[in-house]
Amino acid sequence: MATQTVQAPGRTPAPQGGKVGGGLLDPKQMIRSLPDALKKLNPATMWRNPVMFIVEIGAVFTTVLAIGDPSWFAWAIVVWLWLTVVFANLAEAVAEGRGKAQAATLRAAKRDTTARRLKSRASAEWDVVGAPELRQGDFVVVEAGEIIPGDGDVVEGIASVDESAITGESAPVIRESGGDRSAVTGGTKVLSDRIIVQITQKPGESFVDRMIALVEGANRQKTPNEIALNILLAALTIIFLVATATMQPLAIFAKSVNPGVPDSLALTADGVSGIVLVSLIVCLIPTTIGALLSAIGIAGMDRLVQRNVLAMSGRAVEAAGDVSTLLLDKTGTITLGNRQAGEFVPVPGVSERELAEAAQLSSLADETPEGRSIVVFAKQRYGLREREIHGAEWVQFTAQTRMSGVNLDGREVRKGAATAVMKWVRDNGGHPTDGVGDIVDGISGSGGTPLVVAERGRVLGVIHLKDVVKEGMRERFDEMRRMGIRTVMITGDNPLTAKAIADEAGVDDFLAEATPEDKLALIKREQEGGRLVAMTGDGTNDAPALAQSDVGVAMNTGTSAAKEAGNMVDLDSNPTKLIEIVEIGKQLLITRGALTTFSIANDIAKYFAIIPAMFAAVYPGLDALNIMRLASPQSAILAAVIFNALVIIALIPLALRGVRYRPSSASKLLSRNLYVYGLGGIVVPFAGIKVIDLLIQFLPGMS
């Protein structure tokens, strides 16, 4: 399909540390989602959630009973059971609503466009067709000011492309043929030059179409963990159904051996009231996690979208939470990618300041990152300020000379590769300087790049260019280690250089002089040991490794092959985001586990509320279980049902935002969550049910 031309909605980088904004519950958002929540009451939809389906059946059953034998108590129970189902649907609808809002914006911005389709790649003839008519393998020509009609790869030419419609970034990017930056997306705009694009998409399966499907959750399949948890919840529901069913014959027997006990709303000669039995079932089964499970999964996907990452499946997000090995490229991920001046090493007889002044002078016209870093380093270290120079003859760097410099006021200063500069010195009547070779070898051995600086006839010293490790990377890798994740740096550098960078960055291991085959073999070795592996890539040669890894994050700037092979796409093309993706995955798993623990734990207080209310009249000893001292059986049962519904609403913000993740060992995380959500799940309902009982005890029918 065709295109869209606005910034992708709702994609703002989130703070690090696993906590993403947007979890707070907006009342307006709840109101907007309410119609969708009511639509989900359709049994054809509800049966996919066994726990809440049982609650809906119970709500229907109690409604029928209340119509046949109306009372204030019966209708109060009916209302709150229906609210329980609606609140559960609302949690999912609110989570889905965010994605649907983004999808609506994308759909509104899509528009049909035309394409100039070439007869063949080598042909100069073309015809005009609608973008939806394009097929895989078609070649189209796109010039400045035109919209790229479909996803594809640049096979000829180079152009500046505005991708703000997809990434939200206003800065244009370069797309060119023959490299790892050849992929283009339908809906983006060519700003300059002319390119020929080979279409790689199938009709209706463009990147924009997939974005719409992903952000609105239309293709969201339940993950293996969700399926397993649903099975567990269904099993618990069946157990509680059987346990509750046994209450009826027990109640009939108890009433028969105690005929003097007057009938009550909860207990008669015919047994327990059907409304009370349904209330007991709903309060005992794990309704809290049953209501929030889908919302937790959808919100996890949404947190990735907020970071400009598209996950092609929920399975990939879960896998990110279980990753135990991270493969990270050195350049651009661990290091800045541009070597920076880090030291001036003069030869004997030359001062550091003299060397710094010559190095800066030779670099004033050097616009490369390395050249600018030399000027800045000389200024910061020695106070040498940049100055305007008139009448200078600048010598540009070339692949043949491998050096650059300046001729000024009779001085000739050069900097560059050691062999090239030394040859220049000898050609100008100079002689090799003692110690230069040792300095050059020492810098190379430490993983740096040496640039020799010379003035006609003599060598002044060597500039040590360092491949600078990004600030904070060691701390991030320390966090990974506390999480039990092993980090491996991938680089094409020689082993000596790779080891120096790995030691400085603090990674656990490195793979030097890596080829695509080496990456694939490393991933397979890790997986054979039972570990899950995550990696990033952008080139066609990365595709096999991305496909093999459990979490493959393809850069949006990369090739179509890389994006097809990975199970996530980073729209910002930031390799370090892999670390954040892992944190989001872990936060998803922790949130699901924490709320499951809370859901099961908070049922305990309901036992102490409902069981004494049902049987204390015939077994007075059970009144000792009424530790909350609830006012009456009716108020106790209704208070438990009300709390059961309200706790769902109370936990929706946590389900959407996620439990805060703190890097630590699995045992510490487990003990912390058991303490907070296990113990909290036991204590909070006791207080909540008691407060509700105090508020409703004077209502009609509560005595």
Side-chain angles (χ1 to χ4, degrees):
M1 284 293 293
T3 65
Q4 48 88 18
T5 56
V6 299
Q7 288 191 1
R11 295 196 186 95
T12 54
Q16 294 181 359
K19 185 175 180 179
V20 183
L24 296 179
L25 200 57
D26 182 2
K28 293 181 180 179
Q29 191 176 33
M30 289 185 63
I31 295 172
R32 289 194 300 268
S33 301
L34 188 57
D36 289 332
L38 296 176
K39 290 177 184 177
K40 291 177 180 290
L41 292 174
N42 185 344
T45 302
M46 290 297 300
W47 74 269
R48 296 186 179 91
N49 187 338
V51 176
M52 300 315 300
F53 186 52
I54 292 296
V55 178
E56 184 175 45
I57 292 174
V60 172
F61 180 63
T62 54
T63 302
V64 173
L65 293 179
I67 292 173
D69 185 15
S71 68
W72 196 96
F73 172 78
W75 280 109
I77 293 292
V78 168
V79 169
W80 281 101
L81 289 182
W82 279 112
L83 285 176
T84 302
V85 183
V86 172
F87 290 164
N89 291 345
L90 191 61
E92 185 174 9
V94 168
E96 290 177 347
R98 298 178 177 187
K100 288 181 177 179
Q102 295 171 342
T105 304
L106 289 172
R107 280 200 181 94
K110 284 182 64 177
R111 59 186 177 132
D112 287 338
T113 189
T114 57
R116 290 187 288 163
R117 182 174 60 187
L118 297 172
K119 300 294 185 182
S120 67
R121 177 176 175 179
S123 173
E125 298 182 18
W126 47 266
D127 58 345
V128 178
V129 299
E133 299 177 42
L134 294 173
R135 298 294 183 267
Q136 278 184 308
D138 285 348
F139 294 93
V140 296
V141 59
V142 192
E143 296 184 346
E146 296 179 348
I147 300 295
I148 296 173
D151 298 352
D153 289 321
V154 178
V155 295
E156 183 178 318
I158 180 172
S160 175
V161 179
D162 176 9
E163 293 189 340
S164 60
I166 303 297
T167 65
E169 292 291 337
S170 58
V173 296
I174 300 299
R175 292 290 176 264
E176 59 185 326
S177 62
D180 291 342
R181 297 180 179 269
S182 61
V184 291
T185 305
T188 56
K189 185 177 182 179
V190 173
L191 299 179
S192 68
D193 302 293
R194 173 184 183 274
I195 53 176
I196 294 177
V197 177
Q198 183 177 18
I199 300 299
T200 58
Q201 73 182 57
K202 295 179 182 178
E205 296 183 6
S206 70
F207 190 71
V208 174
D209 291 319
R210 285 189 292 158
M211 284 177 65
I212 292 172
L214 287 167
V215 298
E216 72 177 354
N219 292 338
R220 197 185 89 87
Q221 301 294 323
K222 288 187 176 180
T223 64
N225 279 352
E226 278 186 277
I227 293 172
L229 188 52
N230 267 316
I231 293 172
L232 173 62
L233 297 181
L236 289 174
T237 300
I238 293 172
I239 291 171
F240 284 123
L241 279 171
V242 173
T244 304
T246 63
M247 296 290 181
Q248 190 67 299
L250 178 62
I252 295 173
F253 172 78
K255 187 65 174 169
S256 66
V257 297
N258 296 278
V261 176
D263 290 347
S264 66
L265 186 62
L267 191 63
T268 67
D270 296 326
V272 181
S273 160
I275 290 178
V276 174
L277 279 178
V278 171
S279 300
L280 178 61
I281 292 171
V282 171
C283 288
L284 295 188
I285 62 178
T287 51
T288 306
I289 186 60
L292 300 175
L293 187 57
S294 292
I296 294 168
I298 295 170
M301 300 278 283
D302 183 62
R303 283 194 287 276
L304 280 178
V305 172
Q306 290 176 16
R307 283 178 165 86
N308 261 9
V309 177
L310 294 181
M312 300 306 174
S313 69
R315 182 191 296 264
V317 186
E318 278 190 357
D322 284 330
V323 158
S324 52
T325 302
L326 279 183
L327 304 186
L328 301 164
D329 276 333
K330 183 202 75 171
T331 305
T333 304
I334 295 174
T335 66
L336 293 174
N338 297 318
R339 297 178 186 269
Q340 305 285 302
E343 185 181 9
F344 293 129
V345 185
V347 298
V350 177
S351 69
E352 284 190 40
R353 187 177 183 84
E354 183 182 359
L355 170 60
E357 189 272 337
Q360 187 189 61
L361 181 64
S362 67
S363 303
L364 289 175
D366 187 349
E367 294 299 329
T368 65
E370 292 85 355
R372 302 311 302 163
S373 76
I374 292 171
V375 174
V376 172
F377 184 68
K379 176 182 177 180
Q380 292 176 341
R381 180 64 64 90
Y382 303 103
L384 298 174
R385 298 190 174 277
E386 298 182 46
R387 61 270 198 198
E388 293 186 8
I389 297 178
H390 302 284
E393 177 188 351
W394 301 105
V395 179
Q396 300 298 324
F397 176 88
T398 67
Q400 289 74 31
T401 62
R402 294 191 297 153
M403 60 183 180
S404 61
V406 62
N407 298 333
L408 176 66
D409 298 333
R411 296 181 66 187
E412 297 181 14
V413 182
R414 301 289 186 271
K415 74 174 191 302
T419 54
V421 174
M422 294 298 289
K423 181 179 183 301
W424 179 77
V425 169
R426 286 193 296 269
D427 291 345
N428 284 277
H431 301 283
T433 304
D434 293 339
V436 174
D438 292 338
I439 296 173
V440 169
D441 292 341
I443 292 174
S444 298
S446 68
T449 299
L451 290 182
V452 175
V453 180
E455 197 166 351
R456 175 183 285 271
R458 67 184 185 126
V459 175
L460 301 178
V462 184
I463 304 170
H464 183 177
L465 293 181
K466 295 181 177 180
D467 201 351
V468 179
V469 174
K470 290 182 178 180
E471 186 177 355
M473 291 307 295
R474 178 174 283 275
E475 289 74 17
R476 297 297 295 276
F477 291 139
D478 287 342
E479 288 182 6
M480 296 291 108
R481 206 168 289 112
R482 288 197 295 272
M483 293 156 54
I485 296 175
R486 178 170 171 263
T487 52
V488 181
M489 183 184 78
I490 308 293
T491 178
D493 289 340
N494 63 68
L496 194 61
T497 301
K499 185 178 187 307
I501 297 296
D503 290 342
E504 183 178 354
V507 296
D508 297 310
D509 201 356
F510 65 90
L511 179 64
E513 298 176 344
T515 64
E517 293 77 15
D518 293 334
K519 294 180 185 179
L520 189 60
L522 175 60
I523 292 172
K524 288 181 177 179
R525 285 199 304 272
E526 293 290 324
Q527 291 173 332
E528 287 170 0
R531 292 179 285 271
L532 298 188
V533 179
M535 72 162 289
T536 60
D538 59 0
T540 301
N541 61 355
D542 290 325
L546 286 170
Q548 179 66 36
S549 59
D550 300 283
V551 180
V553 184
M555 302 294 101
N556 189 47
T557 56
T559 63
S560 296
K563 288 193 278 190
E564 289 294 329
N567 49 26
M568 292 188 187
V569 177
D570 177 18
L571 299 179
D572 295 330
S573 300
N574 176 10
T576 60
K577 202 176 289 183
L578 179 60
I579 297 174
E580 295 180 46
I581 291 171
V582 170
E583 291 176 347
I584 291 173
K586 287 191 173 295
Q587 185 185 36
L588 171 66
L589 297 179
I590 291 170
T591 301
R592 188 181 292 153
L595 292 185
T596 300
T597 302
F598 184 90
S599 177
I600 294 173
N602 76 16
D603 288 341
I604 295 175
K606 300 166 194 174
Y607 308 155
F608 285 88
I610 297 180
I611 300 299
M614 292 173 60
F615 293 106
V618 291
Y619 298 113
L622 287 178
D623 192 56
L625 296 179
N626 184 17
I627 60 177
M628 290 177 279
R629 313 317 301 171
L630 302 178
S632 68
Q634 290 87 342
S635 68
I637 294 169
L638 182 58
V641 172
I642 293 175
F643 177 84
N644 192 63
L646 293 181
V647 75
I648 295 173
I649 287 291
L651 290 176
I652 289 177
L654 184 60
L656 298 181
R657 185 180 63 245
V659 175
R660 184 183 177 91
Y661 172 68
R662 296 183 180 88
S664 60
S665 66
S667 59
K668 288 184 178 179
L669 284 173
L670 178 61
S671 60
R672 172 178 166 270
N673 286 338
L674 285 177
Y675 179 76
V676 174
Y677 296 98
L679 184 59
I682 294 173
V683 173
V684 170
F686 279 98
I689 292 173
K690 178 60 179 178
V691 169
I692 295 171
D693 178 74
L694 291 173
L695 295 175
I696 68 173
Q697 61 179 314
F698 300 111
L699 295 176
M702 291 298 105
S703 60

